[in-house]
Every structure is written in C-alpha cells, then in structure tokens.
Amino acid sequence: AQSVTQLGSHVSVSEGALVLLRCNYSSSVPPYLFWYVQYPNQGLQLLLKYTSAATLVKGINGFEAEFKKSETSFHLTKPSAHMSDAAEYFCAVSVNAGGTSYGKLTFGQGTILTVHP
Amino acid sequence: GAGVSQTPSNKVTEKGKYVELRCDPISGHTALYWYRQSLGQGPEFLIYFQGTGAADDSGLPNDRFFAVRPEGSVSTLKIQRTERGDSAVYLCASSLRGTFTDTQYFGPGTRLTVL
C-alpha cells in the first residue's frame, strides 16, 4: 500500500523568504503525486501534479515541486513567500495498482504554513 | 462554472441518530469520491463512484456508512446510529473520468458533530 509523509506539521517563514514543504512517499509502483492547498473554510484546491512527464512541475501561485525517485520525495517550493500563501498544504499520492482504485488519493497529514510580515 | 457543492455545511446531531450528507459534483464528471478529514489529519478515502456504481467502497469504516449515487450525479452519504467518533469534516470530490492523473475537485465539506 502507498503512503505519504509530510515532515513538519507547522512551517513558519517571513514574507519574501523561501518556502519549502517536504513530502516523501512510499509506493511499490510508480506514483502520481499531487499538492493541494486548503484555505480556512474552503475546499482543497490543486496546486500542481506530477504525472510521469517532466520531473519539475510548475503550479499555480508561483509554486513548483520536483519529483525525485531516488529520494522518494516530492517537495513543494516557492522562492518568495507572500502573506496570501498562509494555508494548510497537503501532499497526496495516487497509484495504478490495478483493480478498481482509480484515482483514489492517499494524503499526508498536512503542513500548516504561517507567513510573518 | 459551478464547482462541487455540499450540503449542509454544518450538521450537529446526537449520538444514535441518522444523518445524510449531500454532494453535487461538477456537471459532466463521471467520477465522485468521498473522503473524511478528522481534526489535524489529512483526508482519508471512503468510497469512489464511477457513474451510478460504487466501484470501490473499501474505505467505509463499517456497515453504518452507506453512499448512493442513483442517477450518476448527486451523491448522498448516509450514516446510521452515529457515534461521537464519526465527528469529522466529510469531503466530496469529483473528476472528469476517474483516472489516476485526473484532477479531483473538492467541495467545501460538511462538518459533522456528533454530541
């Protein structure tokens, strides 16, 4: 079975600083990887996804993530944090393991990002 | 266009009662998913529909939980004899075809509180 680990339940950065949110996955088959953001009282919104094309994936709001198979990682980065980036971020994995588990997402526990002025 | 909507946004009930949670997916999306998010946790998969049929219900915790999607659009998650441990945010998502790389679009969730 696949799993996702997000290192750091809380990350705090200053406005303008680099944002780095860590995600490691475990899967016996090639994974598809996703980052979602959740603002208070809103639904999860897709930031970006890796679908076995380019390993460096660019998403919305200036975020990007790099798939590193050797490290089983898919860390999320943004060069310069903005106050509006404050939210909770979830990494998720989907695998083609046969059967009927089409697109079922397995999520990490989430990382709350705080941005200080 | 309209996104995924869920009603009610909040539901407070007493232990032992029956509740229904509704999900309206994006029009034309054949795949629909239910997830449950407990406090401080990531969402956990409950059930997946492709059209009208439940293709994967392996995440339903026990037989008190049941979901339907009779016309391949709106879905209802039904919980019988609610327990305090059922308190969580129930999320619904839909995607165009239900493939592994399809983007799932999430609704805002229904916050269920069992007293």
Side-chain angles (χ1 to χ4, degrees), chain B residues 87-103:
Chain B
S87 296
V89 177
Y90 289 81
L91 299 171
C92 176
S94 69
S95 71
L96 187 59
R97 296 161 298 170
T99 66
F100 301 97
T101 57
D102 268 2
T103 296

Side-chain angles (χ1 to χ4, degrees), chain A residues 85-97:
Chain A
D85 294 328
E88 188 162 18
Y89 292 79
F90 292 94
C91 182
V93 63
S94 170
V95 298
N96 182 355

Side-chain angles (χ1 to χ4, degrees), chain A residues 32 34 36 38 42-44 46 49 51 90 94-96 100-105 107-109, chain B residues 33 35 37 40-43 45 48 55-56 58 91 98-104 106-108:
Chain A
Y32 303 99
F34 304 77
Y36 280 85
Q38 187 173 35
Q42 295 187 27
L44 291 157
L46 181 72
K49 62 181 177 181
T51 59
F90 292 94
S94 170
V95 298
N96 182 355
T100 57
S101 298
Y102 302 115
K104 176 174 72 175
L105 293 173
F107 285 87
Q109 291 192 315
Chain B
Y33 305 80
Y35 295 85
Q37 186 174 17
Q41 303 293 319
F45 170 79
Y48 159 67
D56 184 351
S58 61
L91 299 171
T99 66
F100 301 97
T101 57
D102 268 2
T103 296
Q104 293 183 28
F106 284 79

Side-chain angles (χ1 to χ4, degrees), chain A residues 4-8 19-24 32-38 44-50 57 59-60 63-67 73-77 88-93 105 107-112, chain B residues 103-104:
Chain A
V4 174
T5 302
Q6 291 183 239
L7 296 175
V19 175
L20 171 59
L21 305 182
R22 300 178 186 274
C23 171
N24 288 86
Y32 303 99
L33 294 157
F34 304 77
W35 275 100
Y36 280 85
V37 60
Q38 187 173 35
L44 291 157
Q45 179 183 3
L46 181 72
L47 275 177
L48 49 79
K49 62 181 177 181
Y50 167 74
V57 181
I60 62 172
F63 284 94
E64 63 181 38
E66 186 172 7
F67 172 69
S73 70
F74 190 57
H75 301 331
L76 182 70
T77 61
E88 188 162 18
Y89 292 79
F90 292 94
C91 182
V93 63
L105 293 173
F107 285 87
Q109 291 192 315
T111 298
I112 296 173
Chain B
T103 296
Q104 293 183 28

Side-chain angles (χ1 to χ4, degrees), chain B residues 54-102:
Chain B
D56 184 351
D57 65 357
S58 61
L60 294 178
N62 51 59
D63 61 5
R64 295 186 296 105
F65 288 75
F66 188 72
V68 296
R69 195 186 185 198
E71 298 179 356
S73 178
V74 171
S75 176
T76 304
L77 178 65
K78 308 181 181 195
I79 310 174
Q80 297 178 319
R81 305 183 303 281
T82 52
E83 300 178 356
R84 293 193 179 87
D86 299 334
S87 296
V89 177
Y90 289 81
L91 299 171
C92 176
S94 69
S95 71
L96 187 59
R97 296 161 298 170
T99 66
F100 301 97
T101 57
D102 268 2

